[in-house]
Amino acid sequence: MRLYYLHGFNSSPQSDKARVVSHYVTKHCPGTELVLPTLHFAPASAMALLDADIAAHPGPKALIGSSLGGFYATSLAERHGLKAVLVNPAVRPFELLSDYLGPQVNPYTGETFEVSHRHMAELLALFVPVLSHPERLWLLQKEGDEVLDWRQARDHYQGARQTIEAGGDHAFTDLDKHLGQMAAFLDLC
């Protein structure tokens, strides 16, 4: 099994959630190869890398995506017929990230980049308005998410498995309590 963990906007594979997933997979799913790509800030570039890697590796694959990574995971699951767990996913990032147009600095890497209107168009092109196989998806959502409106995810992922918890925040700091169920859902170990 090849498992992709996709980080969110202005994040990295060094994020807390990525580290928690990596530790769990290493300890409990030794037959799973965890892929933690550093996603390019330009959506089309990020997706081209992911599409190419998925195509280059035959065999079973699954996805975990957080925030913007959840949006990417939704698109990839649809395009490649994969299962995915979506952690506080961005449903319509082409609207949300329009507030971030202009220069940005990645707090993990120090990389500077600029978010443009072209990036919003690239995100819109990746949007899956109607899920063809929602049963392949599991939404993990906190109502206390201070970045995203949890109701948008609840409504968009109708038909998918949904775990919506009161409180919490965008960081989803207690993700570890779901890892065993996530591994089972994704057939990891």
Side-chain angles (χ1 to χ4, degrees):
M1 170 68 75
R2 190 170 174 84
L3 173 65
Y4 296 82
Y5 176 85
L6 308 179
H7 64 75
F9 173 73
N10 217 4
S11 188
S12 86
Q14 289 83 41
S15 72
D16 290 339
K17 286 188 291 284
R19 285 196 297 250
V20 166
V21 169
S22 179
H23 177 74
Y24 183 89
V25 169
T26 300
K27 184 174 181 180
H28 298 285
C29 306
T32 295
E33 179 185 3
L34 180 61
V35 180
L36 296 160
T38 299
L39 300 177
H40 196 275
F41 67 88
S45 297
M47 285 300 282
L49 168 86
L50 294 166
D51 277 329
D53 195 88
I54 288 169
H57 292 89
K61 292 175 263 319
L63 304 152
I64 297 173
S66 173
S67 193
L68 182 59
F71 175 81
Y72 290 151
T74 301
S75 184
L76 291 165
E78 190 76 18
R79 292 155 72 151
H80 296 281
L82 304 176
K83 283 185 165 185
V85 174
L86 315 166
V87 182
N88 284 346
V91 175
R92 303 174 68 82
F94 42 88
E95 295 170 354
L96 177 72
L97 293 178
S98 63
D99 292 341
Y100 294 86
L101 292 172
Q104 304 292 323
V105 178
N106 185 301
Y108 292 92
T109 65
E111 175 189 21
T112 59
F113 60 96
E114 186 151 340
V115 176
S116 70
H117 288 286
R118 184 190 80 215
H119 299 134
M120 299 308 105
E122 291 174 1
L123 289 168
L124 182 59
L126 297 171
F127 181 56
V128 179
V130 178
L131 305 168
S132 64
H133 291 281
E135 70 279 1
R136 291 186 192 140
L137 306 175
W138 179 11
L139 169 66
L140 279 171
Q141 183 70 51
K142 293 287 190 177
E143 290 180 0
D145 188 330
E146 71 281 7
V147 177
L148 305 168
D149 182 348
W150 68 273
R151 293 171 291 247
Q152 200 174 51
R154 176 201 60 200
D155 296 346
H156 185 69
Y157 291 101
Q158 288 297 310
R161 178 176 173 175
Q162 294 193 5
T163 301
I164 300 174
E165 298 177 343
D169 56 19
H170 190 65
F172 212 111
T173 53
D174 61 350
L175 182 65
D176 58 331
K177 75 178 187 181
H178 296 285
L179 291 172
Q181 291 179 52
M182 290 167 63
F185 179 79
L186 297 172
D187 304 315
L188 298 183
C189 43

